Amino acid sequence: AQRVTQPEKLLSVFKGAPVELKCNYSYSGSPELFWYVQYSRQRLQLLLRHISRESIKGFTADLNKGETSFHLKKPFAQEEDSAMYYCALGVTGGGNKLTFGTGTQLKVEL
Amino acid sequence: NAGVTQTPKFQVLKTGQSMTLQCAQDMNHEYMSWYRQDPGMGLRLIHYSVGAGITDQGEVPNGYNVSRSTTEDFPLRLLSAAPSQTSVYFCASRPKETQYFGPGTRLLVL
């Protein structure tokens, strides 16, 4: 069975500091990895997906199959980055099923 | 294009009452799903559908029923509400890869 682990419930950084939100997954097949973000009292929205290899709002994430990781990084945190971040794993041929991690609350302090 | 809409936004129920959470999408997506979001547990899949007339169970289906009579609508029914069902419920739809989430329904069961 697939599993997503986000080891940090809360990550607090100062504005301008680098950010790394950790995500590890467990899946024997070919994974699809996503990062979703939820700003306060808003709906979840897609931030990144590994297949597109893009940078959104300064965030990047690289899939490391050897370490089964998909960590989210940003070189300089901004106050507006404060939100809940979820890593999610989609399985090949899994239809609509995504497995989410428990989320990491990022707090950017001034 | 309204995207994914959910009603109601907030609901209070007494134990044993029944209710239906509504979800609709106007993007002609085949895949739709329901998640519940609980602190420290991330998002967990309740039920999902890969098209009209087809539904299947997710990770936590007990106490919930769904149906998919049209492509647009995917209601979630609580037949006999329990305090353990106090949560925030998100509906999502997707064409292929990216999930689009609704704004959520906050449910409190007393």
Side-chain angles (χ1 to χ4, degrees), chain A residues 8 12 20 26 29 33-34 36 39-40 46 50 54 58 71 74 81-82 85 87 91-92 99 106 109:
Chain A
E8 303 140 328
S12 186
E20 183 178 46
S26 174
L33 274 300
F34 306 85
Y36 282 83
Y39 300 102
S40 180
L46 178 68
H50 87 272
E54 57 197 342
H71 302 327
K74 184 171 183 177
D81 296 329
S82 295
Y85 292 81
C87 183
V91 300
T92 305
T99 299
L106 175 64
E109 299 184 74

Side-chain angles (χ1 to χ4, degrees), chain A residues 6-13 19-22 81-85 102-109, chain B residues 40:
Chain A
Q6 293 181 251
E8 303 140 328
K9 285 187 178 180
L10 173 65
L11 182 63
S12 186
V13 301
V19 175
E20 183 178 46
L21 300 172
K22 291 183 167 54
D81 296 329
S82 295
M84 179 70 86
Y85 292 81
T102 52
T104 298
Q105 180 72 47
L106 175 64
K107 184 177 180 182
V108 180
E109 299 184 74

Side-chain angles (χ1 to χ4, degrees), chain A residues 37-94:
Chain A
V37 60
Q38 186 180 29
Y39 300 102
S40 180
R41 297 269 174 166
Q42 293 186 26
R43 68 183 74 192
L44 278 85
Q45 52 188 288
L46 178 68
L47 182 63
L48 285 175
R49 50 183 180 173
H50 87 272
I51 59 172
S52 58
R53 300 185 65 82
E54 57 197 342
S55 174
I56 303 294
K57 298 183 180 182
F59 285 97
T60 59
D62 291 317
L63 176 61
N64 186 324
K65 290 187 177 181
E67 295 182 358
T68 60
S69 68
F70 189 56
H71 302 327
L72 184 68
K73 300 177 182 178
K74 184 171 183 177
F76 308 104
Q78 302 298 316
E79 190 180 359
E80 57 266 27
D81 296 329
S82 295
M84 179 70 86
Y85 292 81
Y86 290 98
C87 183
L89 166 67
V91 300
T92 305

Side-chain angles (χ1 to χ4, degrees), chain B residues 18-54:
Chain B
S18 63
M19 81 160 294
T20 299
L21 280 65
Q22 302 291 344
C23 174
Q25 52 95 4
D26 60 358
M27 298 174 282
N28 203 32
H29 292 166
E30 290 192 10
Y31 302 141
M32 297 185 75
S33 54
W34 277 101
Y35 295 86
R36 58 178 289 172
Q37 182 184 40
D38 301 291
M41 305 193 76
L43 278 83
R44 292 179 292 170
L45 182 65
I46 305 171
H47 285 285
Y48 67 100
S49 169
V50 298
I54 306 170

Side-chain angles (χ1 to χ4, degrees), chain B residues 6-11 21 87-90 103-107:
Chain B
Q6 290 182 238
T7 56
K9 288 185 179 179
F10 181 69
Q11 183 72 46
L21 280 65
S87 186
V88 180
Y89 291 84
F90 287 98
T105 295
R106 290 183 174 271
L107 178 66

Side-chain angles (χ1 to χ4, degrees), chain B residues 45-101:
Chain B
L45 182 65
I46 305 171
H47 285 285
Y48 67 100
S49 169
V50 298
I54 306 170
T55 64
D56 206 347
Q57 296 181 349
E59 182 185 353
V60 288
N62 293 341
Y64 307 94
N65 280 349
V66 292
S67 59
R68 185 93 181 271
S69 56
T70 66
T71 300
E72 294 79 20
D73 301 299
F74 191 44
L76 179 73
R77 296 184 187 85
L78 283 72
L79 299 178
S80 179
S84 61
Q85 293 178 305
T86 292
S87 186
V88 180
Y89 291 84
F90 287 98
C91 178
S93 74
R94 62 177 258 186
K96 290 275 188 179
E97 299 157 341
T98 305
Q99 295 229 36
Y100 295 87
F101 283 86

